Amino acid sequence: MVQPTNKELFFAFQKISLSAFGGALPWAKIILVEQKQWMSLEEFAEILSLCQFIPGPNIVNVSIVVGKKANGAVGAFWASLGLLFFPFCLACIVGATYAELSHYQSLNGVFEGIGAVAAGLMLSMSYEMAQKVFIGKPMLLIFSIAAFVALVLLHVHIFFALVVLAPLAIGYALWSSR
Amino acid sequence: MNDESKIGILLVQFSLLSLLAFGGAGAVLPEMYRQTVDIHQWISAQEFSSMFALAQALPGPNVMVVTIIGWKVAGFVGALVATLAMCLPCSVLMFFVTHFWDQYAASDRKKVMMMGLSALTTGFIGASAYLMAASIDTSIKYLAITIATALITLRFKKLNPLWFIAGGAAFGFLFQ
């Protein structure tokens, strides 16, 4: 992974958050992997898996990991600050003007439109990750499908899905690489 | 209830949620609802839902919903405390896990373990995408936008997805 400076970390994560309408993860991938080319998609997928495994908002965890790898605690600080500063300010403004905002019914369509696009971006990100993650290891696809089925069809809470499937997936990966 | 105790509760509740959010902030959304709407009655169900929609639509992590809720409960300090409580505990944990993970075992062993986890993550992200589409795409036209976005961004990597966001917002505004 390339080692960005604190300043670069701050501005990259700020760019991620300012683009992140509807959800931040696809933008983290777009900016860190494709635009800045600080890491490959495989490395991003690995970082994301570690971040999902540890509690907390995924994108915040990603900023800590990327920041730390670049420049320790200071890097983690600047990356997360870059991520959260402007959204925090915007959310405060929304909080303060909420009473007035809630009168604007016409915003509902805008939210739906943004949400629909965001869902599409998530879909394409998961597809791209799938392409990279399973090359040469098709059996791992079973765990991916299990995760998907657990959440979508069985309505299992992600915590339980993780607790059950993570040891199985890790165990299988270790066993099959002997 | 005075402001100090409200802020104290915000601090405790959101710190707990931070440490329970395995898989992401979405994992604790039901619990967040239970705490803020049912137990403490800081906001109504309608407000929770519209605050979440606002936090999603605003640029930034969707977890910023806690900022909006925090402001409603106790102004600027409430917003700040809720945000820090939601983000700091997990960040500290993440930092130390990364620290020890980097020192653990042989790197090829780690790589293999991460491959297993990455398979799961891909499934979880796919599931989140699917569930997101299922809840947001309440009509064919929005489903079409989701699918079109996915297909076009996969095919034409050079296009800046922000155009899609703008297009989606405009479409939603005009055709709701």
Side-chain angles (χ1 to χ4, degrees):
Chain A
M1 194 184 108
V2 164
Q3 308 275 50
T5 63
N6 291 330
K7 194 165 143 187
E8 287 171 329
L9 282 169
F10 179 84
F11 285 113
F13 277 95
Q14 188 181 88
K15 190 174 180 190
I16 289 173
S17 71
L18 290 175
S19 313
F21 297 89
L25 285 179
W27 292 99
K29 178 211 111 197
I30 289 166
I31 287 167
L32 297 174
V33 176
E34 291 162 19
Q35 291 182 2
K36 303 266 175 203
Q37 296 182 344
W38 285 349
M39 62 188 76
S40 65
L41 187 55
E42 289 93 333
E43 286 173 308
F44 178 78
E46 282 179 12
I47 289 175
L48 188 53
S49 343
L50 192 60
C51 291
Q52 273 208 325
F53 195 65
I54 302 298
N58 292 330
I59 188 62
V60 174
N61 284 348
V62 168
S63 69
I64 296 291
V65 174
V66 172
K68 179 186 187 299
K69 282 184 190 281
N71 201 11
V74 177
F77 170 77
W78 285 109
S80 50
L81 189 67
L83 180 74
L84 295 170
F85 182 73
F86 274 120
F88 176 76
C89 296
L90 289 171
C92 282
I93 293 173
V94 166
T97 58
Y98 183 74
E100 288 81 30
L101 275 177
S102 50
H103 293 317
Y104 286 96
Q105 295 291 18
S106 54
L107 284 179
N108 286 336
V110 172
F111 293 168
E112 270 206 271
I114 291 177
V117 171
L121 291 179
M122 282 276 270
L123 275 177
S124 74
M125 180 174 88
S126 63
Y127 182 80
E128 279 185 85
M129 278 174 59
Q131 284 181 309
K132 291 285 171 169
V133 165
F134 301 119
I135 290 178
K137 324 146 212 151
M139 286 306 285
L140 280 180
L141 189 57
I142 293 188
F143 290 101
S144 212
I145 293 174
F148 185 90
V149 165
L151 259 52
V152 171
L153 295 176
L154 301 175
H155 302 296
V156 171
H157 192 271
I158 193 171
F159 175 76
F160 296 111
L162 257 176
V163 162
V164 169
L165 292 173
L168 293 174
I170 293 174
Y172 174 81
L174 283 171
W175 174 80
S176 70
S177 71
R178 258 145 57 284
Chain B
M1 176 176 280
N2 63 15
D3 261 13
E4 278 85 27
S5 46
K6 279 195 221 168
I7 289 170
I9 297 178
L10 280 173
L11 180 65
V12 170
Q13 292 296 359
F14 284 111
S15 298
L16 278 174
L17 287 175
S18 174
L19 294 171
L20 290 173
F22 288 92
V28 292
L29 211 55
E31 180 59 22
M32 200 186 298
Y33 177 95
R34 205 175 73 91
Q35 293 290 338
T36 56
V37 178
D38 293 337
I39 295 181
H40 297 292
Q41 296 174 343
W42 288 326
I43 54 179
S44 70
Q46 165 77 320
E47 282 174 324
F48 186 89
S49 159
S50 73
M51 284 174 179
F52 182 75
L54 275 165
Q56 244 201 351
L58 280 177
N62 295 347
V63 76
M64 302 317 281
V65 64
V66 311
T67 314
I68 301 175
I69 293 174
W71 188 288
K72 175 92 201 286
V73 174
F76 174 76
V77 178
L80 187 61
V81 165
T83 310
L84 287 176
M86 190 72 194
C87 298
L88 212 47
C90 56
S91 296
V92 170
L93 180 62
M94 190 76 237
F95 183 86
F96 285 108
V97 166
T98 310
H99 184 70
F100 290 113
W101 182 244
D102 284 344
Q103 302 182 346
Y104 166 76
S107 76
D108 35 311
R109 201 136 219 253
K110 265 196 299 191
K111 200 110 179 99
V112 166
M113 287 170 70
M114 289 316 293
M115 265 174 7
L117 263 186
S118 297
L120 277 188
T121 295
T122 308
F124 287 142
I125 299 284
S128 306
Y130 182 93
L131 290 170
M132 199 174 167
S135 81
I136 286 177
D137 296 338
T138 51
S139 61
I140 288 284
K141 56 183 191 275
Y142 289 114
L143 183 60
I145 291 179
T146 297
I147 295 176
T149 304
L151 292 175
I152 299 176
T153 52
L154 278 173
R155 175 71 183 77
F156 298 103
K157 299 283 176 67
K158 299 287 182 180
L159 279 179
N160 189 335
L162 280 175
W163 288 114
F164 287 91
I165 300 278
F171 181 91
F173 182 72
L174 294 171
F175 296 107
Q176 60 189 338

